[in-house]
């Protein structure tokens, strides 16, 4: 690797020289179908899982024939076939994915563990703490393996943490831990093998701290000037490969000649594989393939026995049907509030999908902050309706881990505001994983959102635009009970990560007829709420109700209303139609103005529908301030306060 790097034949590489015993010993101690979450220094995991070297060489050249179609660098890729979960650069988030996989094993009652790597530097991340805490609280069979090599880039351990040994932290989490010589291959192998059995037998996690040393720079370019030479001299004597060789010689397991033969065979194999691996074609960008690979394709839906499946067309077979009622639907309906419709959609999904797991703070016996899962635990049991510690990042990561093992999951953010502490997992792990190495993230995150409830800056935010800007996610935002149920069911059936926004102020204030059947509303399709020919209001969420109220109070204006329902992907055909109907458009949203989705839609209309416009597109959004608490301030903050003014301005243009 070092030679190839110097020859410019592979791109960036992080050396594991001096640390080989940990990756190799740990990988060999596990079964081949047990997931490992390796990091940048763990070449030994990839080779121990017998990945073809030729394909690895292709990966390291950034070739399309590698493991990530040329989309990822060095070791940032995974392979389902080899049960290796590709890392994201952020290090710590890998550990919570191991939690999710271990949870899947526990639920399936399989005798398996997962194993997550971290450097000692990565242990300072909150993700380390969250992952260990969740594993301990949920009694998950997962091995956390710290490779303590003395430095995190240039930062020595004394500037990284204050405890004497990192393994001492195990006690704080309520788990067992052990410190081992990470340069002794047999010790690593034996320890991990024994711990694996312990984790399976006792259904518990385990923390291992393997002491080692990094014999080269963080990566080759950054050098090693900050490390005293004595340390290299000391650790050179402890080289894991040389010492193992000596051991085998001393024990009479191998002769000097046999060792020489093994080396030659290995060298020849590397040369042969390299010759194949160098035989790559130049990367050819295919925009369509690039875009298509961002999302997992949904399998054709199969009708489960006993479940009547309706879709959008059953409910609205007349494409000009107006309003949110089940226009053409002849089946039984109930008059439900938005919150009840969500509850029903979730409940039916739990019945249909035995592999659907719900996770969130206080969602079990307590029924959730808004009582959406009230009663679920009695019916579906605590293993499927799971209270979580206050560890948003780890729970999103665990949801991804469940997905690796074929589970679906729904995580309830107690309030959409708290997604900030799970943000990295959402936008970097869930969103990018399919594009990076073809793994789906079958996860729905429910996001109780929005203001108008006097709850102040941290319980009222509209943060949907953050996610609309993230390729790989889907963002859904219903405004009516019938849509909320059908869209939630569709979100759960979708194999991609979906952020499902539920407006808190609409939970109990909006109701309507909802089919009792299990049905879907198609993600990505807007709803034409009201026909008009003077002005089009394109909106979603609470904006739909503000627009409807305004139209009811101003019958003198012919108002057309479009409810987007999904914000990613946007329904551009419906947007175009709305522009065409009136030529005058207001985009209305509760989110603040700058960087809100209104700007995106306005730009798209300007680029694509300019000839249909009779006036500039106007945006009506909330003030560019945090959400204030006092009712007077909040009323002034919300976009609704400026809707009439915006409409008048547009009409008089
Ligand atoms: C969240 C985050 N912060 C910073 C970095 C940059 N970075 C990459 S590796 C590294 C050092 C990691 O040290 P350690 O966890 O001890 O692992 P080692 O590289 O020593 O194997 C740093 C700072 C990063 N990748 N992610």
């Amino acid at each position: 690797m070092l030679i190839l790097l110097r020859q410019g034949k592979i791109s960036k590489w992080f050396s594991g020289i001096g640390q080989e015993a940990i990756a190799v010993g740990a990988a060999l101690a596990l079964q081949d179908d047990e997931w490992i979450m390796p990091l940048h220094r763990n070449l030994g995991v990839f080779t121990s899982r017998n990945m073809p070297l030729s394909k690895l060489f292709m990966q390291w050249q950034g070739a399309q024939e590698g493991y990530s179609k040329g989309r990822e660098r060095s070791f940032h890729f995974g392979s389902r076939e080899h049960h290796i979960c590709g890392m994201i650069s952020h290090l710590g988030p890998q550990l919570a994915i191991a939690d999710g996989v271990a949870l899947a094993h526990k639920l399936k009652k399989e005798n398996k563990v997962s194993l997550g790597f971290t450097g000692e530097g990565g242990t300072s991340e909150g993700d380390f703490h969250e992952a260990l805490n969740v594993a301990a609280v949920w009694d998950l069979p997962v091995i956390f393996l710290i490779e303590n090599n003395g430095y995190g880039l240039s930062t020595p351990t004394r500037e990284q943490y204050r405890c004497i040994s990192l393994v001492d932290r195990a006690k704080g989490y309520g788990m067992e831990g052990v410190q081992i010589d990470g340069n002794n291959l047999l010790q690593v192998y034996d320890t991990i093998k024994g711990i694996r059995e312990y984790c399976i037998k006792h259904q518990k996690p385990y923390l291992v701290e393997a002491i080692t040393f990094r014999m080269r720079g963080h990566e080759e370019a950054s050098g090693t000037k900050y490390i005293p030479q004595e340390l290299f001299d000391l650790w050179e004597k402890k080289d894991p490969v040389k010492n193992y060789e000596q051991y085998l010689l001393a024990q009479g397991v191998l002769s000097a000649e046999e060792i020489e033969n093994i080396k030659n065979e290995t060298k020849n194999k590397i040369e042969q594989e390299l010759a194949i691996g160098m035989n790559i074609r130049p990367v050819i960008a295919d925009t369509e393939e690039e875009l298509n690979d961002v999302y997992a394709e949904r399998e054709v839906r199969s009708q489960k026995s006993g479940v009547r499946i309706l879709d959008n067309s059953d409910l609205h077979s007349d494409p000009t049907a107006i309003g949110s009622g089940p226009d053409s639907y002849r089946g039984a309906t109930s008059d439900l509030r938005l919150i009840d419709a969500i509850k029903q959609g979730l409940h039916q999904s739990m019945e249909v999908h035995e592999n659907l797991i719900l996770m969130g703070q206080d969602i079990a016996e307590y029924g959730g902050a808004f009582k959406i899962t009230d009663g679920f635990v009695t019916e579906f049991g605590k293993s499927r309706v799971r209270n979580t510690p206050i560890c948003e990042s780890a729970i999103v990561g665990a949801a991804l881990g469940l997905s690796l093992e074929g589970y679906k999951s729904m995580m309830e953010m107690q309030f959409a505001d708290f997604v900030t502490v799970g943000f990295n997992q959402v936008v970097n792990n869930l969103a990018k994983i399919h594009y990076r190495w073809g793994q789906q993230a079958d996860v729905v995150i429910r996001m109780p959102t929005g203001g108008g409830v006097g709850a102040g800056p941290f319980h009222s935010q509209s943060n949907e635009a953050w996610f609309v800007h993230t390729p790989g996610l889907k963002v859904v935002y219903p405004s009516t009970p019938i849509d909320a149920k059908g869209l939630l069911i569709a979100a759960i059936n979708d194999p991609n990560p979906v952020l499902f926004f539920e407006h808190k102020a609409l939970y109990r204030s909006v109701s309507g007829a909802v089919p009792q059947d299990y049905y879907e509303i198609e993600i990505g399709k807007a709803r034409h709420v009201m026909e008009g020919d003077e002005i089009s209001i394109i909106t979603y969420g609470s904006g739909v109700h503000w627009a409807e109220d305004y139209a009811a109070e101003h019958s003198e204006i012919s108002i057309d209303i479009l409810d987007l329902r999904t914000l990613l992907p946007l329904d551009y055909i419906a947007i175009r139609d709305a522009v065409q109907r009136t030529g005058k458009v207001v985009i209305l949203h509760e989110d603040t103005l700058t960087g809100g989705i209104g700007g995106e839609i306005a730009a798209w209309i300007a680029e694509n529908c300019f000839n249909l416009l009779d006036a500039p597109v106007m945006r009506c959004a909330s003030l560019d301030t945090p959400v204030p608490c006092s009712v007077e301030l909040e009323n002034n903050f919300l976009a609704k306060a400026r809707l009439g003014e915006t409409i008048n301005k547009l009409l008089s243009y």
Side-chain angles (χ1 to χ4, degrees), residues 204-349:
K204 294 267 183 205
Y206 211 106
L207 180 64
V208 184
E209 181 183 13
I211 304 297
T212 185
F213 188 70
R214 200 188 69 203
M215 291 301 284
R216 302 205 61 86
H218 171 65
E219 30 72 53
E220 289 308 308
S222 58
T224 54
K225 276 193 188 140
Y226 48 85
I227 302 176
Q229 184 55 42
E230 307 89 83
L231 284 178
F232 286 110
D233 299 341
L234 179 71
W235 285 90
E236 176 64 36
K237 295 192 191 98
K238 301 189 194 180
D239 183 275
V241 182
K242 284 186 199 146
N243 281 336
Y244 187 54
E245 197 179 299
Q246 287 306 316
Y247 172 82
L248 294 175
L249 266 176
Q251 295 293 312
V253 178
L254 290 179
S255 65
E257 196 189 343
E258 283 169 312
I259 289 176
E260 209 43 43
N261 286 344
I262 290 173
K263 283 185 179 167
N264 286 336
E265 276 168 31
T266 309
K267 189 165 188 296
N268 288 341
K269 182 168 181 218
I270 290 173
E271 295 293 357
Q272 283 163 12
E273 294 277 327
L274 184 60
I276 305 169
M278 283 293 156
N279 189 16
I280 51 166
R281 284 162 299 171
V283 174
I284 297 170
D286 175 342
T287 303
E288 201 180 320
E289 190 185 345
E290 289 303 291
L291 289 170
N292 282 344
D293 278 359
V294 173
Y295 293 96
E297 225 169 276
R298 190 171 158 183
E299 279 170 31
V300 180
R301 192 173 52 191
S302 61
Q303 177 114 15
K304 298 233 175 183
S305 57
V307 183
R308 186 170 166 205
I309 300 175
L310 307 173
D311 62 22
N312 211 8
S313 58
D314 297 309
L315 302 170
H316 300 275
S317 62
D318 172 3
T320 61
I322 289 167
S324 58
D327 307 294
S328 64
Y329 177 66
R330 300 271 174 266
T333 62
S334 321
D335 195 50
L336 297 182
R337 300 173 301 176
L338 188 94
I339 193 163
D340 305 320
I342 292 168
K343 180 171 184 162
Q344 197 173 85
L346 195 57
H347 190 273
Q348 289 180 351
S349 297

Side-chain angles (χ1 to χ4, degrees), residues 19 40-41 89-91 119-122 125 149 151-153 214 218:
Q19 303 181 210
H40 48 293
R41 241 170 263 297
S89 294
H90 303 63
L91 314 167
E120 86 290 343
E125 289 188 53
N149 63 10
Y151 288 84
L153 213 162
R214 200 188 69 203
H218 171 65

Side-chain angles (χ1 to χ4, degrees), residues 452 546 589-592 620-643 645:
W546 296 339
H589 57 60
E590 182 177 325
D591 192 3
T592 50
C620 180
S622 294
L623 289 184
D624 280 333
T625 69
V627 188
C629 184
S630 103
V631 176
E632 292 75 14
L633 292 181
E634 192 179 23
N635 285 341
N636 178 59
F637 161 85
L638 290 171
K640 186 182 180 188
R642 284 166 295 284
L643 181 57
E645 186 189 314

Side-chain angles (χ1 to χ4, degrees), residues 400-462:
L400 181 55
L402 282 172
S403 193
L404 257 53
E405 275 293 307
Y407 279 88
K408 286 181 171 291
S409 57
M410 186 289 297
M411 177 191 176
E412 176 176 295
M413 280 291 160
Q414 199 156 68
F415 286 80
D417 307 67
F418 303 138
V419 75
T420 44
V421 279
F423 194 69
N424 185 40
Q425 291 281 26
V426 177
V427 302
N428 283 323
N429 245 334
L430 297 190
K432 297 180 176 49
I433 197 164
H434 193 265
Y435 177 75
R436 294 170 58 237
W437 54 281
Q439 168 62 45
Q440 68 192 41
D442 200 345
V443 179
V444 174
I445 303 180
R446 291 190 25 254
M447 302 274 281
T449 189
V453 287
F458 305 113
H459 288 77
S460 311
Q461 289 173 87
S462 296

Side-chain angles (χ1 to χ4, degrees), residues 1-12:
M1 292 291 281
L2 203 46
I3 294 167
L4 291 173
L5 187 78
R6 286 174 180 154
Q7 292 174 342
K9 289 190 179 155
I10 56 171
S11 60
K12 204 174 176 95

